[in-house]
Amino acid sequence: MKRIATMQDISCIGKCSLTVALPIISSMGIETSVIPTAVLSTHTMFKDFTFHDLTNEIEPIFNHWKKEGFGFDALYTGYLGSFEQLDLAKEFFNSFGKNTLKLVDPCMADNGKLYPGFTREFARAMKDVCAVADIICPNLTEASFILDIPYTTDYDEAYVKDILQQLTALGCNKAVLTGISLEEGMLGAYAYDKENDKYYYYQNEEEPKHFHGTGDIWASTLCGSLTRGKSFEEAIKVACDYVKECIRLTLLEENHNEYGVNFEEAIPYLLNNL
Ligand code: PXL
């Protein structure tokens, strides 16, 4: 059985980070090992969330895993809450990342703004984690903060390609920009594979509403699909289609919650696409 280890927080309510990565990757028939970086009452879009940092647990977990000789088919990092955790993510890759896919989703910003608690300095430090990954999957806001360039919604294909070139120049082999729209009413992901000098773009009709946590669902699906042997291009399609289906199902429910999507009832759709 394939096994992925993922390092990110548990937001007890919020349908993001580990509460989506674990069920999605597990449902794809892959063992999912977790390194919880913090426990929050909710994700940080709610007011007055609690935050219990677990940084001190991480190194002892690594040490125990090393002693037991555990190995993984993929390592995947999501939301990381401190500079120290960025260093631990690098240690995670160093300790367990030999011949293993290393995926970094640099969760920290959207719609031109950093999430609460993050700074420009943190974004610059995230760059060093991206450099040692195989694949990174930021949205355009995160990419702009990582590259320390102004964020713009007024972009064209040449601009997207240039950003992808700059991202892969950091050191990773592949980069995917999520949430890219090059045509009115369409939304997708634009990717670059530096090794083969190839670009990929996949888009769907845009759903009328955006939700929190969809970036985490996208990255979890990409990681699972690649681990199951899908090509980079195929895995991007599976992830885009699944997120779209999650939003579609959410919107079918009249009083749907606003903080996250119905990824649960879309799991059969996901498995059908594998
Ligand atoms: O979806 C990314 C994410 C993960 N974890 C926490 C968050 C967010 C986004 O806001 O707050 C705690």
Side-chain angles (χ1 to χ4, degrees):
M1 193 173 196
K2 300 276 189 187
R3 187 199 276 143
I4 291 175
T6 182
M7 179 173 170
Q8 43 190 318
D9 71 279
I10 298 186
S11 292
C12 298
I13 290 183
K15 300 209 202 194
C16 67
S17 42
L18 281 184
T19 62
V20 300
L22 237 180
I24 290 170
I25 298 170
S26 297
S27 77
M28 296 169 100
I30 300 164
E31 180 181 342
T32 315
S33 309
V34 300
I35 298 164
T37 54
V39 179
L40 293 82
S41 51
T42 63
H43 63 49
T44 61
M45 298 296 119
F46 285 89
K47 248 182 74 191
D48 300 331
F49 59 87
T50 69
F51 187 101
H52 179 74
D53 184 74
L54 294 173
T55 300
N56 290 339
E57 293 299 314
I58 298 173
E59 206 145 26
I61 294 173
F62 289 164
N63 290 339
H64 185 204
W65 285 6
K66 276 192 250 181
K67 216 165 89 191
E68 290 290 338
F70 289 125
F72 303 95
D73 297 287
L75 308 178
Y76 155 37
T77 65
Y79 184 100
L80 300 170
S82 63
F83 287 94
E84 208 175 343
Q85 288 186 358
L86 294 180
D87 287 338
L88 286 163
K90 286 185 268 181
E91 193 180 323
F92 181 40
F93 290 164
N94 264 334
S95 301
F96 303 99
K98 216 166 158 221
N99 303 319
T100 297
L101 171 73
K102 295 176 280 292
L103 172 71
V104 170
D105 181 5
C107 296
M108 59 186 169
D110 205 359
N111 299 313
K113 284 204 197 106
L114 288 164
Y115 295 146
F118 290 123
T119 59
R120 284 188 169 273
E121 235 186 322
F122 182 87
R124 272 182 236 123
M126 179 65 92
K127 186 191 286 192
D128 300 337
V129 185
C130 292
V132 292
D134 297 310
I135 306 181
I136 62 171
C137 55
N139 58 39
L140 195 53
T141 303
E142 288 156 347
S144 305
F145 278 109
I146 288 166
L147 297 172
D148 213 359
I149 56 173
Y151 168 72
T152 177
T153 50
D154 182 21
Y155 56 80
D156 59 11
E157 189 165 5
Y159 181 82
V160 170
K161 285 182 166 179
D162 179 55
I163 296 284
L164 287 165
Q165 290 273 353
Q166 290 190 53
L167 288 171
T168 51
L170 298 175
C172 51
N173 189 37
K174 299 182 177 80
V176 194
L177 282 170
T178 57
I180 294 296
S181 176
L182 293 173
E183 243 179 277
E184 180 82 26
M186 303 295 284
L187 195 68
Y190 213 118
Y192 180 56
D193 176 345
K194 186 168 67 177
E195 203 168 52
N196 300 310
D197 192 27
K198 272 200 159 155
Y199 292 95
Y200 304 99
Y201 183 46
Y202 183 75
Q203 60 177 1
N204 276 316
E205 273 179 36
E206 186 172 6
E207 290 291 333
K209 203 162 160 180
H210 291 194
F211 287 89
H212 216 69
T214 49
D216 300 351
I217 292 171
W218 197 94
S220 302
T221 309
L222 185 86
C223 193
S225 301
L226 290 168
T227 303
R228 285 186 53 126
K230 291 268 184 206
S231 69
F232 186 43
E233 188 176 15
E234 287 168 334
I236 288 168
K237 179 179 184 312
V238 171
C240 288
D241 289 347
Y242 178 50
V243 166
K244 179 177 163 64
E245 179 66 4
C246 293
I247 299 174
R248 192 187 71 81
L249 288 184
T250 307
L251 295 176
L252 284 182
E253 202 178 328
E254 202 174 324
N255 293 314
H256 59 259
N257 79 50
E258 298 293 328
Y259 58 76
V261 291
N262 183 352
F263 74 91
E264 297 91 338
E265 288 180 301
I267 283 177
Y269 171 90
L270 167 64
L271 302 189
N272 221 12
N273 279 346
L274 288 178

